[in-house]
Amino acid sequence: MKLEQAIACEPEQLEDWLPIMEVATREVFTQMVNIQLSVPQRPSAAISSVTAMIGLAGLLTGVMSFRCEDEAAALITSRMLGINLAEANSSIADAMGEICNMVAGNFKHKIPGLGDGCLLSLPSVVRGGDYTIHARPNTPRIHLHFLLENMPIMISLYAAGRTAARP
């Protein structure tokens, strides 16, 4: 990896990656779910019915997560798989894991030098209303809040570490 590629993997602040994360998320939802996301006037409170997570390892170490309520997850699943809402419940975990995987993959490939220098884990999905996401104290994180047909969704990146390549 060239030094200039490694520099692209090291934003001055994690917030510098928000526009890239936003574009990556919007592209996945437009292409895979055929839904245009909108931005809420103000971020909603904690969203905790469904959380999909993808681990990142390599030049960027951390976790990307996608959170939404069951109703939004069912709509996404229905649209992704071309099935009606009543059939969607049994496939929500797979669909949410795949959406998170696609957003994470699209995001890392938009940052020069990160595409091949960062591996993604298999997705993990948590469902239910009684859980909290904990990260190490002082873990840098960024969050994007969207509305999916008036239902809140949130994409987060928890960056436990970034490693610059050696010149």
Side-chain angles (χ1 to χ4, degrees), residues 61-132:
T61 302
V63 174
M64 183 168 279
S65 70
F66 168 70
R67 298 174 71 182
C68 66
E69 297 291 347
D70 281 323
E71 184 180 2
L75 177 61
I76 291 165
T77 302
S78 169
R79 294 272 183 95
M80 273 183 72
L81 301 179
I83 58 178
N84 66 44
L85 283 172
E87 299 173 284
N89 192 50
S90 64
S91 299
I92 283 176
D94 288 338
M96 296 302 93
E98 188 56 28
I99 283 286
C100 191
N101 183 52
M102 287 187 283
V103 170
N106 195 14
F107 167 76
K108 77 175 189 137
H109 284 289
K110 289 186 177 308
I111 298 172
L114 194 58
D116 291 333
C118 178
L119 300 175
L120 302 179
S121 72
L122 293 173
S124 297
V125 179
V126 178
R127 289 186 72 186
D130 189 20
Y131 66 91
T132 305

Side-chain angles (χ1 to χ4, degrees), residues 6-160:
I7 293 169
C9 295
E10 288 284 334
E12 288 294 319
Q13 302 218 339
L14 199 56
E15 291 80 19
D16 294 345
W17 281 347
L18 277 170
I20 298 166
M21 207 162 86
E22 180 175 354
V23 168
T25 302
R26 286 182 183 277
E27 286 177 356
V28 168
F29 274 84
T30 299
Q31 293 171 6
M32 299 307 298
V33 187
N34 196 26
I35 291 178
Q36 297 294 319
L37 300 174
S38 60
V39 178
Q41 289 184 2
R42 77 181 82 138
S44 62
I47 303 165
S48 61
S49 292
V50 180
T51 300
M53 296 164 282
I54 295 286
L56 306 156
L59 290 177
L60 176 64
T61 302
V63 174
M64 183 168 279
S65 70
F66 168 70
R67 298 174 71 182
C68 66
E69 297 291 347
D70 281 323
E71 184 180 2
L75 177 61
I76 291 165
T77 302
S78 169
R79 294 272 183 95
M80 273 183 72
L81 301 179
I83 58 178
N84 66 44
L85 283 172
E87 299 173 284
N89 192 50
S90 64
S91 299
I92 283 176
D94 288 338
M96 296 302 93
E98 188 56 28
I99 283 286
C100 191
N101 183 52
M102 287 187 283
V103 170
N106 195 14
F107 167 76
K108 77 175 189 137
H109 284 289
K110 289 186 177 308
I111 298 172
L114 194 58
D116 291 333
C118 178
L119 300 175
L120 302 179
S121 72
L122 293 173
S124 297
V125 179
V126 178
R127 289 186 72 186
D130 189 20
Y131 66 91
T132 305
I133 295 176
H134 296 277
R136 283 186 336 199
N138 302 319
T139 299
R141 62 195 76 182
I142 52 176
H143 307 286
L144 284 173
H145 297 267
F146 293 105
L147 290 175
L148 173 92
E149 296 189 1
N150 293 319
M151 295 176 281
I153 67 170
M154 185 170 71
I155 306 290
S156 301
L157 174 63
Y158 297 83

